[in-house]
Amino acid sequence: ADAVTGTGTGADTDPDPDPDPDTDADTDTDADTAPAPATAQAPAPAPDPAPAPATGARYPSPMPTKPMTVTQYLAALPKDRRDELKKLRQVVRANLHPGYKEGMQYGMPGWFVPHSVYPAGYHCDPAQPLPFAGMASQKNHMSLYLCGLYYSEEEMERIRTAWKKTGRRLDMGKSCIRFKTIDDLPLDLIGKLVKRMTVKRHVALYEQARAEAGRKSAERKKAKKKTTGRAAATRKKAPTKKTTTTKKRRVAKR
């Protein structure tokens, strides 16, 4: 199985992922570095850049330039958002099983099963590896995507129950968990959820969900075909209004 920093087809990857997330120096550097010492020939120092908006403010989307790596994605964010997502990244990476790979997928940092491990890829786009998790900075919030946990209602119920015990509010959409600050997330629970999902289990739940969706789709088509057939038979047997009126006229003439 490929390690987290292996290679896979269908997603851009970070060519030099941080060996130690706690010392991510290349993404922590602020734009307003100290100016060079002034000399008689030195030009006037450039004005300091505008400060990043406070947490919770609206951020421009999409980004001015498309980031090609996770490091570039984080570096392009305002410092407060960058720091929050770096903490989340550390938790995911610390609990991620071997076989997953980190890289950019669908325009955001993500973790997925590479084609070398699961050649079929993602059914929505087989050129993409099978997604497992992701994180993103949106205009009004940040998002955590845990695709593997949405394949099973049992896993979903487990999340709701465990989250409720933490005392935090669960803001869950159809495919993501929304949060304004990292304090909105029970990081210990996030780590446990990631650790529960081995590559083998993730693929098994995904294929099980696909099979169940196919079965339900076939049942709906069968029921629709039966209903359509009954409706057509009823229309064929039922006399039209014109025919009924014509018969009444004939009876009246007699």
Side-chain angles (χ1 to χ4, degrees):
D2 290 1
V4 173
T5 57
T7 59
T9 305
D12 297 322
T13 61
D14 191 340
D16 184 19
D18 303 319
D20 184 0
D22 294 328
T23 58
D24 193 3
D26 60 335
T27 57
D28 271 344
T29 303
D30 295 336
D32 50 350
T33 54
T39 63
Q41 294 77 21
D48 291 337
T55 301
R58 296 177 66 86
Y59 290 88
S61 179
M63 291 186 175
T65 58
K66 183 179 179 181
M68 302 301 293
T69 68
V70 175
T71 300
Q72 290 175 355
Y73 182 96
L74 294 173
L77 296 176
K79 187 178 184 304
D80 58 336
R81 286 287 183 94
R82 180 171 67 247
D83 291 345
E84 301 285 60
L85 289 183
K86 282 177 61 179
K87 293 176 184 176
L88 179 58
R89 183 191 186 195
Q90 290 172 13
V91 172
V92 174
R93 289 173 57 153
N95 292 277
L96 200 66
H97 281 272
Y100 290 108
K101 183 175 178 298
E102 180 186 84
M104 294 296 294
Q105 188 174 32
Y106 293 110
M108 72 181 86
W111 296 269
F112 42 81
V113 183
H115 285 100
S116 58
V117 177
Y118 189 66
Y122 191 35
H123 70 280
C124 295
D125 180 3
Q128 288 287 338
L130 180 62
F132 167 61
M135 62 182 190
S137 176
Q138 311 291 359
K139 282 188 176 182
N140 298 316
H141 61 270
M142 290 170 280
S143 301
L144 168 64
Y145 298 82
L146 293 172
C147 306
L149 305 177
Y150 283 80
Y151 298 146
S152 167
E153 184 57 38
E154 179 183 347
E155 292 293 333
M156 290 290 294
E157 189 58 35
R158 191 190 308 275
I159 293 176
R160 295 188 187 98
T161 302
W163 201 290
K164 187 175 182 179
K165 291 179 180 179
T166 68
R168 291 177 172 86
R169 175 177 173 267
L170 175 58
D171 186 1
M172 181 181 286
K174 289 185 177 181
S175 62
C176 69
I177 297 173
R178 295 179 288 260
F179 61 100
K180 294 291 184 69
T181 71
I182 199 68
D183 293 333
D184 295 336
L185 298 177
L187 294 180
D188 289 343
L189 175 59
I190 297 299
K192 291 177 181 177
L193 294 174
V194 171
K195 201 164 190 175
R196 276 179 49 81
M197 200 64 65
T198 63
V199 171
K200 183 177 180 180
R201 178 175 173 77
H202 177 50
V203 170
L205 286 175
Y206 168 74
E207 292 183 339
Q208 179 182 331
R210 290 284 298 142
E212 181 67 15
R215 183 185 65 79
K216 290 182 178 180
S217 177
E219 288 180 352
R220 286 194 298 268
K221 289 180 180 179
K222 185 177 180 180
K224 184 178 180 180
K225 186 176 180 181
K226 185 181 291 186
T227 303
T228 303
R230 287 177 179 175
T234 301
R235 288 194 299 270
K236 186 175 181 181
K237 291 180 180 180
T240 62
K241 186 175 181 180
K242 182 177 179 180
T243 303
T244 304
T245 304
T246 302
K247 286 183 178 180
K248 287 181 178 180
R249 288 176 179 174
R250 288 177 181 174
V251 172
K253 286 182 180 180
R254 293 176 183 175

